[in-house]
Amino acid sequence: MSPRPSIDHIRRPQILAAAAEVIVERGVAGTRIADVAERCGVSPPALLYWFDSKEQLLAEALTVDDDRFYEELEARVDGAAAPGERMVALIETATESADDFALWMELWTWALRDADLRAARERFDARWRAAIEAIVIDGVATGEFGAADPAQAALAIAALIDGLSAQAALGDPEVTNPRLTETVLASAERLLGAELPAGAGGRASP
Amino acid sequence: MSPRPSIDHIRRPQILAAAAEVIVERGVAGTRIADVAERCGVSPPALLYWFDSKEQLLAEALTVDDDRFYEELEARVDGAAAPGERMVALIETATESADDFALWMELWTWALRDADLRAARERFDARWRAAIEAIVIDGVATGEFGAADPAQAALAIAALIDGLSAQAALGDPEVTNPRLTETVLASAERLLGAELPAGAGGRASP
Amino acid sequence: MSPRPSIDHIRRPQILAAAAEVIVERGVAGTRIADVAERCGVSPPALLYWFDSKEQLLAEALTVDDDRFYEELEARVDGAAAPGERMVALIETATESADDFALWMELWTWALRDADLRAARERFDARWRAAIEAIVIDGVATGEFGAADPAQAALAIAALIDGLSAQAALGDPEVTNPRLTETVLASAERLLGAELPAGAGGRASP
Amino acid sequence: MSPRPSIDHIRRPQILAAAAEVIVERGVAGTRIADVAERCGVSPPALLYWFDSKEQLLAEALTVDDDRFYEELEARVDGAAAPGERMVALIETATESADDFALWMELWTWALRDADLRAARERFDARWRAAIEAIVIDGVATGEFGAADPAQAALAIAALIDGLSAQAALGDPEVTNPRLTETVLASAERLLGAELPAGAGGRASP
DNA sequence: TATGAATGAGAGTTCATTCAT
DNA sequence: GATGAATGAACTCTCATTCAT
């Protein structure tokens, strides 16, 4: 019917990507529609043609990338056969891009007062913990890991990564990126009662 | 000299406390001077009589309570003689009030774009990790703990608490307060290579 | 390109004219954005759509009319062939609208503390003196005037007009408009060592 | 009756002097009560103990020095016996302190919209012109000056000084202080049909 | 689809002024 | 006489949003 193909699938992602960039730079609170519009090279009202309101746009921008992250993660992790190797791959993937964590922190803070964002975050975190737990269960099954409670170990590892990533994102001089990865790997070994293989990135050897 | 006694030792803390309350309720971004003023029962300009600007007031409100927290913490922890007991006391203190964590999350998010807040957060975190590390060192010295690297263990425990507290503050159904404390304690045992005594709060028994 | 034709060539002059009117009525210090907006029949933010700030708007309003004044002046003066006639035309043009002088006085006072306005005023005054001086030089060349120093005579005539116009604008009963013109003409004759022809407005005869 | 001598005669002049200073620096519009208070080393409410309102204080500050100026002027001028010498003394006195003229310009601008200030200014100007006119009349009587209309000559000389002083106060590079004095003296000679003696300050000789 | 123009609803901040002390 | 504290009344400016084009 419509001879002109819709550009929905082009414009919306473009706007969301621009919004995510602006949020990282200025924070959700400091992001104005005009900033995002300028980055897209369009006028502010154009954004409101594609999104009902600023709030809706930012909420979507805050969550749109996460699914992609998990897909990439799973692709990388599944390549490794043994649970130990998969765990190392997962940790390295999660810790090597601590800068993106700023967006995650924004989501947290906003989720404190927005039920939809809260639900979205919870969904992502459940998926994340499930991915970890699956590896732990496998490792326990093969005897590679000695953890008694896979769910608790997964929770702990996930929280550890979050806590350290936040500090890295905040530029804490004690938590550089290598130190972050190293600390998570060493802690995971203790939490899992396992010795993990050296990762792709290499690890400080004794 | 002054025909009227100064009340700044009363008003300023009062305003800061009100500001902290409002921040927890509405977030830093959603906090208006008028909200804080109303909670104090004064007019908005009265706040600007005591603080140079809204920004300065909120920044101070975001950090003013932390020192008090550490003082209380140290008081409680020092009461326990053995490192294991002190560690348990510390963990319980840190995890039982996960609600206050919202303020800490606001501080994080604001600190992403404010150097002063970033420095303040770093200072607090350094103090916090040092408190943990001191216990670890003691525990290692007495042989109670088996941790090889006290600094790394302290960093891991601190991050674990942060990561879990964030989820608890966000109302994650998987991370209730008891589960939070329990997970940190169990993980600390593994990270420290130690068995920790049951805390004052009691712990889920098998 | 633009789905709606730009109207900045209409709105900006309209706003500037309204601002000049309000300044004459209330002074720069007493002029509020809301006053100007009301006179334009728009809302206050509309002015900030066209001008970056109140300050910028008022500064422009204070200077925008001057170029037009000089163009009109030159048009009128050039119509007169002989130097004496041109001088009379210039003096009459400059003195017959002493009411507008209030805007010029506002510009002076504001220029005391604003380098841009100071520079603008200086530019206008230089142009004004140059216009006078050109006539004097002509008059001296033709022998119609006897002035020794054209630059000094031009400066004196310009200052005389300013000083008297200020008093007229302030409603000094000794300096009515006719008396103002008459005084400048009589003084100019002495300053230029010339007898000036009767102007269009006529002059008080004995 | 009152054992404590009033300090009216100390405080009020002190405040007025401080106000005049601040006005010269920041302009009437930019002068806040707090500025004046700070310069006096007292608190803002103290000023309102001595003056009913800011407006009244500034109005008084704007006019309080003028009487003193005329008294000083008359003292200096009366010392010179011959009309020509008195005229030179008057002109030199009026033109050598062009910086103070900023206060006079502020008074003008404020007087545009304040009847009291307008009346005050008019009174000062009448006195000023009368002082000039008296000399002119004397000079005409002695035959030293050739002016036909003393009132008009006085008006012209006064206006000339005003116009040039304004430009000097505005920092016009063409109107330096020496050039100002020189131009007024040279113009006065022509306006008065007289040759004026060299002044105390010296004058450019041919 | 998209824009120029405009607006309404605030928000922070300023400041003369008040008043108990 | 003078001050600390506080306030009411403005005022500028911001920004998401609307709407005719």
Side-chain angles (χ1 to χ4, degrees):
Chain A
M1 234 4 120
S2 134
R4 207 154 83 197
S6 166
I7 60 170
D8 269 49
H9 59 290
I10 296 181
R11 261 288 185 270
R12 286 182 59 100
Q14 178 197 4
I15 294 171
L16 289 169
E21 279 176 38
V22 176
I23 290 172
V24 168
E25 281 170 29
R26 313 168 83 100
V28 168
T31 295
R32 292 161 314 181
I33 279 213
D35 298 324
V36 181
E38 192 186 11
R39 187 154 314 212
C40 295
V42 299
S43 67
L47 300 205
L48 294 167
Y49 176 82
W50 295 102
F51 297 87
D52 286 346
S53 68
K54 176 199 180 184
E55 196 182 347
Q56 201 227 91
L57 161 59
L58 294 192
E60 202 163 329
L62 234 23
T63 52
V64 77
D65 270 355
D66 292 302
D67 281 309
R68 212 189 30 158
F69 171 77
Y70 293 114
E71 275 147 30
E72 279 181 20
L73 174 79
E74 277 150 27
R76 283 179 67 167
V77 166
D78 287 347
E85 278 164 16
R86 279 156 61 206
M87 181 62 70
V88 171
L90 177 142
I91 290 172
E92 287 185 337
T93 302
T95 57
E96 72 197 4
S97 61
D99 294 342
D100 299 347
F101 205 79
L103 207 59
W104 191 242
M105 286 165 70
E106 292 285 342
L107 171 55
W108 278 359
T109 302
W110 238 236
L112 281 168
R113 279 153 215 109
D114 180 308
D116 290 342
L117 287 178
R118 207 152 57 233
R121 187 214 69 92
E122 206 175 297
R123 212 168 51 242
F124 292 136
D125 235 17
R127 183 171 178 182
W128 173 232
R129 285 201 296 265
I132 301 177
E133 195 176 344
I135 301 176
V136 177
I137 289 173
D138 267 14
V140 171
T142 63
E144 218 181 315
F145 301 168
D149 181 341
Q152 195 177 56
L155 180 57
I157 290 171
L160 190 58
I161 292 174
D162 281 353
L164 286 168
S165 296
Q167 298 188 44
L170 284 160
D172 192 314
E174 303 283 325
V175 190
T176 59
N177 253 33
R179 180 105 200 270
L180 160 49
T181 309
E182 190 188 313
T183 300
V184 177
L185 287 171
S187 302
E189 288 191 322
R190 288 180 167 267
L191 289 168
L192 298 171
E195 236 171 88
L196 295 175
R203 223 189 324 161
S205 39
Chain B
M1 261 337 121
S2 65
R4 230 175 117 167
S6 173
I7 60 168
D8 63 346
H9 60 289
I10 297 179
R11 261 289 184 273
R12 285 182 62 101
Q14 178 197 3
I15 294 171
L16 289 169
E21 280 175 38
V22 177
I23 289 172
V24 168
E25 281 171 29
R26 309 170 87 99
V28 168
T31 295
R32 292 162 313 173
I33 277 207
D35 298 323
V36 181
E38 193 185 8
R39 189 158 308 218
C40 294
V42 298
S43 66
L47 301 204
L48 295 167
Y49 178 80
W50 294 102
F51 297 87
D52 287 345
S53 66
K54 176 200 180 187
E55 193 181 349
Q56 202 227 93
L57 162 59
L58 294 192
E60 202 163 330
L62 234 24
T63 52
V64 76
D65 269 355
D66 293 302
D67 280 310
R68 214 190 29 162
F69 170 77
Y70 293 115
E71 274 147 32
E72 279 181 21
L73 174 80
E74 277 151 26
R76 283 179 67 167
V77 166
D78 286 346
E85 280 164 14
R86 279 155 60 205
M87 182 61 72
V88 170
L90 176 142
I91 289 172
E92 288 185 335
T93 303
T95 56
E96 72 198 4
S97 60
D99 293 342
D100 299 348
F101 205 80
L103 207 59
W104 190 243
M105 285 166 70
E106 292 284 343
L107 171 55
W108 278 359
T109 302
W110 266 159
L112 282 167
R113 280 152 212 108
D114 180 308
D116 289 341
L117 288 178
R118 207 152 57 234
R121 187 214 69 93
E122 202 175 299
R123 213 168 48 240
F124 292 136
D125 235 16
R127 184 172 176 181
W128 173 231
R129 286 202 294 265
I132 301 178
E133 193 177 346
I135 300 176
V136 177
I137 288 173
D138 267 13
V140 171
T142 63
E144 215 180 318
F145 301 167
D149 181 342
Q152 196 177 53
L155 179 58
I157 291 172
L160 190 57
I161 293 173
D162 281 352
L164 285 167
S165 297
Q167 299 188 42
L170 284 161
D172 192 314
E174 303 283 326
V175 190
T176 59
N177 253 33
R179 178 107 200 270
L180 161 49
T181 309
E182 188 188 315
T183 302
V184 176
L185 286 170
S187 302
E189 288 191 321
R190 289 182 167 266
L191 289 168
L192 297 172
E195 240 173 84
L196 296 175
R203 224 188 324 163
S205 41
Chain C
M1 259 341 119
S2 64
R4 230 176 117 168
S6 173
I7 60 169
D8 63 345
H9 59 289
I10 296 179
R11 260 290 183 274
R12 285 181 61 101
Q14 178 196 4
I15 294 171
L16 289 170
E21 280 175 37
V22 177
I23 289 172
V24 168
E25 281 171 28
R26 310 169 87 99
V28 168
T31 295
R32 290 161 313 172
I33 277 205
D35 298 325
V36 181
E38 193 185 8
R39 188 157 307 217
C40 295
V42 298
S43 66
L47 301 203
L48 296 166
Y49 177 80
W50 294 103
F51 297 87
D52 287 345
S53 66
K54 175 199 179 186
E55 194 182 346
Q56 202 227 93
L57 162 59
L58 295 192
E60 202 162 330
L62 233 26
T63 51
V64 77
D65 270 355
D66 292 303
D67 280 310
R68 214 191 28 164
F69 170 77
Y70 293 115
E71 275 147 33
E72 280 181 20
L73 174 79
E74 279 150 26
R76 283 180 67 168
V77 166
D78 286 346
E85 279 164 16
R86 279 155 61 206
M87 181 62 71
V88 170
L90 177 143
I91 289 173
E92 287 185 336
T93 302
T95 56
E96 72 198 5
S97 61
D99 293 342
D100 299 349
F101 205 80
L103 207 60
W104 190 243
M105 285 166 70
E106 291 285 341
L107 171 56
W108 277 359
T109 302
W110 239 231
L112 281 167
R113 279 150 212 111
D114 181 307
D116 289 341
L117 288 178
R118 207 152 57 233
R121 187 214 68 92
E122 203 175 299
R123 213 167 49 240
F124 293 135
D125 236 16
R127 185 172 175 181
W128 173 231
R129 286 201 294 265
I132 301 177
E133 193 177 346
I135 301 177
V136 176
I137 288 173
D138 268 12
V140 171
T142 64
E144 217 180 317
F145 301 168
D149 181 342
Q152 196 178 53
L155 179 58
I157 291 172
L160 189 58
I161 294 174
D162 281 351
L164 285 168
S165 297
Q167 298 188 42
L170 284 161
D172 192 314
E174 304 283 325
V175 190
T176 59
N177 252 33
R179 178 107 201 270
L180 160 48
T181 309
E182 188 189 313
T183 302
V184 177
L185 287 170
S187 302
E189 289 191 320
R190 289 183 166 265
L191 288 168
L192 297 172
E195 233 170 272
L196 297 175
R203 224 187 322 163
S205 41
Chain D
M1 241 355 128
S2 134
R4 206 154 84 198
S6 167
I7 60 171
D8 269 49
H9 60 290
I10 296 180
R11 261 289 185 269
R12 286 181 60 100
Q14 178 197 5
I15 294 171
L16 289 170
E21 280 175 38
V22 176
I23 290 173
V24 168
E25 281 171 28
R26 311 168 85 100
V28 168
T31 294
R32 292 161 315 181
I33 278 214
D35 297 325
V36 180
E38 192 185 11
R39 187 156 309 214
C40 295
V42 299
S43 66
L47 300 205
L48 294 167
Y49 176 83
W50 295 102
F51 297 87
D52 286 346
S53 68
K54 176 199 181 186
E55 197 182 345
Q56 200 227 91
L57 162 59
L58 294 192
E60 201 163 331
L62 233 25
T63 51
V64 76
D65 270 355
D66 292 302
D67 281 311
R68 212 191 28 161
F69 171 78
Y70 293 114
E71 275 147 31
E72 280 181 19
L73 174 78
E74 278 150 25
R76 282 179 66 169
V77 167
D78 286 348
E85 278 164 16
R86 278 155 62 206
M87 180 62 70
V88 170
L90 176 142
I91 289 172
E92 287 184 338
T93 302
T95 57
E96 72 198 3
S97 61
D99 295 341
D100 299 348
F101 205 80
L103 206 60
W104 190 242
M105 286 165 71
E106 292 285 342
L107 171 55
W108 278 359
T109 302
W110 238 233
L112 280 168
R113 280 154 213 106
D114 181 307
D116 289 342
L117 288 177
R118 207 151 57 233
R121 187 213 71 91
E122 205 174 297
R123 211 167 51 241
F124 293 135
D125 235 16
R127 182 171 179 183
W128 173 231
R129 286 201 295 266
I132 300 176
E133 195 176 345
I135 300 176
V136 177
I137 289 174
D138 267 13
V140 171
T142 63
E144 215 181 320
F145 302 167
D149 181 342
Q152 195 178 55
L155 179 58
I157 290 172
L160 189 58
I161 293 173
D162 281 352
L164 286 168
S165 296
Q167 299 188 42
L170 284 161
D172 192 313
E174 302 283 325
V175 190
T176 59
N177 253 33
R179 179 105 200 271
L180 160 51
T181 308
E182 189 188 314
T183 302
V184 177
L185 287 170
S187 303
E189 288 191 320
R190 287 179 167 268
L191 289 168
L192 297 172
E195 238 172 87
L196 296 174
R203 220 186 331 160
S205 41

